[in-house]
Amino acid sequence: MSKRKWRIWWIHRDGRPEALNKVEFIRGDCLVADNWGIGDEDLQKIVDEVDVIFNCASSSLFDISLKQSGEINVRALSDFLEISKRMKHLKAFVHVSNAYVNCNAGTLSESLAKPFISGRALIEFVQTMDTAHVSNSTPIVVGKWLNNYIFTKSIAEDIIRKDGKLLPIAVVRPAMLISSAKEPVPGWLDNVNGVTGLIMTIYLGLNKSLLVQKNVRADVIPADYAANALIAAAWDIAKTKTLNENSEYLETNEYVPVYNLVGSKEHPITWGRLFKLASKHGKLLPTIYTISYPWCIFHGNKRLHSILVAVLHYIPAYLFDLFGFYFYGKARYLGYYNKVDMLSRSLKFVLMKGWESSGEATKGLWNKLSATDKALFDFDMDSVDWDSYFQSYIAGIRMYVLKDTMDTLPEGVQALKSSFLWMLATFGVALLFLFHLLIL
């Protein structure tokens, strides 16, 4: 519920567009401290009529300021918990957290995070201090946490422990979300955050060196699997901890169930296999927007990576921008590679480190579902066919992010061939130049 414009694309499985008539929008803004900026009439409707809440409102940007991240991820949650306590028919409140909030403990356990600073203290800090002071204090406050996002999502769980423990509340923690596996259609996505952005830089031929431990498990989760897990968690908590109907139980039971949505332990996909499949299907479904031939060196050597980034990214970027600025008045490649470098660094904590994670509670939740519900609300990571999935994933990046329809596939193939010839020519010229230097 923010000021940004949301586009909704809903394809009902039975082809019934009238289902959209059941959707009602309420204007609000989680940055507004007074009831999220929700109008009195709408707020009363929430209190009187809503019985299930899925709290997905957060900022997932890794480079967002601590002040903004604290307001959105911590203070806004605290405010909505207060609204929830007034609801007359609340059956379930499902809060979306992040699988890495317990990263400082060494293992990703399915228990509420215990940060060193309380949620109340952080809220007071970001609200009372000016932006400059918060910014200057961020390295000290955040310390060894991975980033502001993970830090504030961890603090948010302290708010749940103290202010939400008597509500019918559950916490679902997806790891890294990627495109849908089945719904609304295979491969659907609407952003290039996280892993998707990294794959797209390789797909377009921009990224030539990626620092990654290829044998580490990739905790990537299809977006619709995460949505299904949220629904299952709401169903389960509503059965055992419904507000007003089980008040005696609520007064004595402060347990908050936590579900980690991480990769399968029995049938994991490693980073090495993930990028291999992405490269394979990227070349089978090339786009007309190919910048250079898509090849990339995947390795774990930091020193080699620095050399390759300089030689394969920044030196060509400066040369192309010099050429482009001289002839066309445009310089864009340096900006591209700055974004590639920033994205790679922001994901370094998952690409280079294998995290021991627990998913037993999630397994237990899955086993509670009937056979019919398992078919309708699939979130079983053991059953994902990754080769088939990546075919639709790359097609999704092509169609929904790059807006390149499948009608242009022949042109995409031609663009791939042309980029390959340019690559051969470039390497040929470079070898001739080196040979010339050696014989002088």
Side-chain angles (χ1 to χ4, degrees):
M1 293 165 53
S2 67
K3 292 181 180 178
R4 59 179 292 196
K5 295 179 180 179
W6 290 94
R7 292 179 303 131
I8 290 189
W9 177 29
W10 182 301
I11 300 178
H12 195 276
R13 71 181 69 197
D14 298 321
R16 293 182 293 182
E18 65 272 13
L20 278 174
N21 295 330
K22 299 180 181 180
V23 179
E24 181 177 349
F25 294 93
I26 289 177
R27 184 179 297 276
D29 187 347
C30 62
L31 282 173
V32 177
D34 185 13
N35 292 327
W36 279 37
I38 301 172
D40 293 340
E41 185 177 338
D42 288 335
L43 185 62
Q44 193 59 48
K45 183 178 290 189
I46 291 173
V47 171
D48 291 341
E49 301 178 18
V50 171
D51 53 10
V52 178
I53 298 170
F54 296 101
N55 180 40
C56 307
S58 71
S59 170
S60 58
L61 298 176
F62 292 161
D63 58 345
I64 193 172
S65 71
L66 179 60
K67 190 174 183 68
Q68 270 196 304
S69 189
E71 289 278 2
I72 296 171
N73 294 337
V74 184
R75 196 267 308 148
L77 169 64
S78 177
D79 290 351
F80 210 81
L81 286 175
E82 293 306 311
I83 295 174
S84 302
K85 291 173 184 177
R86 295 153 52 190
M87 293 182 185
K88 298 176 181 179
H89 308 289
L90 185 62
K91 292 182 171 62
F93 185 118
V94 181
H95 171 69
V96 181
S97 185
N98 184 276
Y100 299 99
V101 294
N102 274 326
C103 62
N104 277 13
T107 58
L108 311 180
S109 63
E110 288 180 307
S111 59
L112 290 176
K114 296 180 179 179
F116 68 92
I117 183 175
S118 71
R120 290 293 166 205
L122 183 70
I123 292 172
E124 183 178 356
F125 175 69
V126 299
Q127 287 189 323
T128 57
M129 298 298 177
D130 59 57
T131 302
H133 183 80
V134 174
S135 178
N136 293 334
S137 304
T138 295
I140 299 172
V141 175
V142 177
K144 295 182 179 180
W145 286 85
L146 300 173
N147 49 58
N148 293 346
Y149 168 67
I150 300 295
F151 173 68
T152 53
K153 292 299 277 187
S154 174
I155 301 296
E157 293 196 7
D158 177 70
I159 292 289
I160 289 174
R161 175 186 290 105
K162 294 173 181 175
D163 296 348
K165 59 187 177 183
L166 297 183
L167 290 172
I169 192 167
V171 176
V172 177
R173 294 176 177 159
M176 292 166 287
L177 295 181
I178 49 178
S179 74
S180 64
K182 302 174 185 177
E183 296 179 288
V185 289
W188 183 85
L189 71 166
D190 66 350
N191 65 74
V192 290
N193 295 334
V195 176
T196 298
L198 207 53
I199 288 174
M200 194 172 80
T201 65
I202 297 169
Y203 179 45
L204 295 176
L206 278 171
N207 202 342
K208 302 302 183 186
S209 175
L210 183 62
L211 199 59
V212 60
Q213 292 292 346
K214 292 188 286 186
N215 62 335
V216 165
R217 185 182 72 187
D219 285 321
V220 290
I221 312 295
D224 51 337
Y225 277 39
N228 290 338
L230 291 175
I231 294 169
W235 162 78
D236 187 55
I237 197 68
K239 288 197 311 177
T240 57
K241 204 176 179 184
T242 297
L243 192 63
N244 299 330
E245 295 179 12
N246 295 322
S247 57
E248 183 178 345
Y249 171 82
L250 284 171
E251 289 173 2
T252 59
N253 193 319
E254 299 182 357
Y255 169 70
V256 175
V258 177
Y259 304 102
N260 281 348
L261 298 184
V262 293
S264 168
K265 290 185 177 180
E266 288 75 19
H267 307 286
I269 180 170
T270 62
W271 285 117
R273 185 173 178 229
L274 183 149
F275 289 117
K276 183 178 180 180
L277 288 173
S279 299
K280 168 189 170 182
H281 290 289
K283 290 172 183 174
L284 292 174
L285 298 170
T287 173
I288 60 174
Y289 300 115
T290 298
I291 294 174
S292 67
Y293 189 74
W295 63 273
C296 184
I297 302 172
F298 306 108
H299 60 96
N301 189 312
K302 296 179 182 179
R303 183 171 296 180
L304 175 62
H305 178 68
S306 298
I307 295 171
L308 291 175
V309 164
V311 174
L312 300 177
H313 289 182
Y314 283 105
I315 291 177
Y318 277 113
L319 293 175
F320 284 131
D321 277 354
L322 185 64
F323 179 85
F325 186 78
Y326 183 79
F327 287 99
Y328 305 105
K330 295 180 180 179
R332 57 179 182 172
Y333 284 94
L334 187 59
Y336 286 161
Y337 281 110
N338 284 336
K339 291 179 180 178
V340 170
D341 186 48
M342 182 176 68
L343 185 59
S344 298
R345 284 188 282 108
S346 71
L347 292 173
K348 182 180 176 182
F349 73 96
V350 292
L351 296 173
M352 292 294 289
K353 180 178 174 62
W355 296 90
E356 285 295 325
S357 57
S358 172
E360 297 308 310
T362 306
K363 272 287 188 187
L365 178 63
W366 172 252
N367 291 331
K368 290 181 181 180
L369 270 59
S370 66
T372 301
D373 285 341
K374 285 181 178 179
L376 289 172
F377 305 104
D378 190 7
F379 59 93
D380 180 20
M381 293 301 298
D382 292 343
S383 63
V384 179
D385 180 347
W386 288 109
D387 188 64
S388 175
Y389 173 84
F390 267 89
Q391 182 179 14
S392 63
Y393 188 10
I394 296 299
I397 292 175
R398 193 183 195 277
M399 292 188 293
Y400 307 126
V401 177
L402 297 174
K403 310 301 181 185
D404 187 10
T405 65
M406 285 302 173
D407 296 339
T408 65
L409 189 57
E411 290 90 337
V413 171
Q414 187 57 48
L416 185 70
K417 290 179 179 178
S418 298
S419 66
F420 181 73
L421 294 176
W422 272 106
M423 181 187 70
L424 291 180
T426 302
F427 276 116
V429 170
L431 287 173
L432 286 174
F433 179 72
L434 288 174
F435 181 73
H436 178 70
L437 289 177
L438 289 173
I439 61 175
L440 285 179

